[in-house]
């Protein structure tokens, strides 16, 4: 899978590039049908409830976008 930009998303902290190579986990388990959450993920980037800056074990700082939605299954979204 090449590292071309699938989407550039404007967020509260700037423009984020979404790479195709980072989306493999969304569809790797077809039984979970995770792709149905893509619109929720994009909405979370646009309208996050909170954004956390987090240091990971590899000493890289990453942002966690936290979203909440009102659905019949009380969905939450962490990106």
């Amino acid at each position: 899978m090449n590292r071309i930009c699938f989407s550039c998303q404007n967020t509260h902290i700037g423009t984020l590039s979404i790479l195709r190579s980072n989306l493999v986990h969304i569809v790797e388990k077809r039984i979970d049908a995770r792709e149905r959450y893509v619109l929720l993920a994009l909405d979370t980037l646009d309208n996050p409830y909170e954004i956390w800056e987090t240091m990971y074990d590899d000493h890289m700082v990453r942002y966690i976008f936290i979203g909440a939605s009102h659905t019949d299954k009380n969905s939450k979204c962490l990106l």
Side-chain angles (χ1 to χ4, degrees):
M1 182 136 342
N2 58 26
R3 294 186 59 84
I4 61 174
C5 182
F6 175 70
S7 175
C8 292
Q9 192 74 23
N10 291 321
T11 70
H12 293 281
I13 61 169
T15 302
L16 299 179
S17 297
I18 301 170
L19 304 176
R20 287 185 183 273
S21 60
N22 293 339
L23 301 177
V24 173
H25 69 281
I26 291 176
V27 294
E28 70 185 359
K29 296 181 180 178
R30 295 294 304 154
I31 197 162
D32 294 340
R34 293 178 180 179
E35 66 273 7
R36 69 178 176 238
Y37 297 108
V38 169
L39 293 179
L40 176 60
L42 292 174
D43 184 58
T44 299
L45 290 174
D46 285 338
N47 304 298
Y49 179 72
E50 293 180 348
I51 302 172
W52 295 355
E53 185 179 65
T54 304
M55 176 76 74
Y56 279 74
D57 291 341
D58 62 1
H59 303 288
M60 295 284 297
V61 174
R62 295 183 181 95
Y63 295 97
I64 300 173
F65 287 76
I66 300 170
S69 68
H70 301 285
T71 65
D72 59 336
K73 296 185 181 181
N74 297 320
S75 298
K76 297 175 223 107
C77 187
L78 297 175
L79 300 175

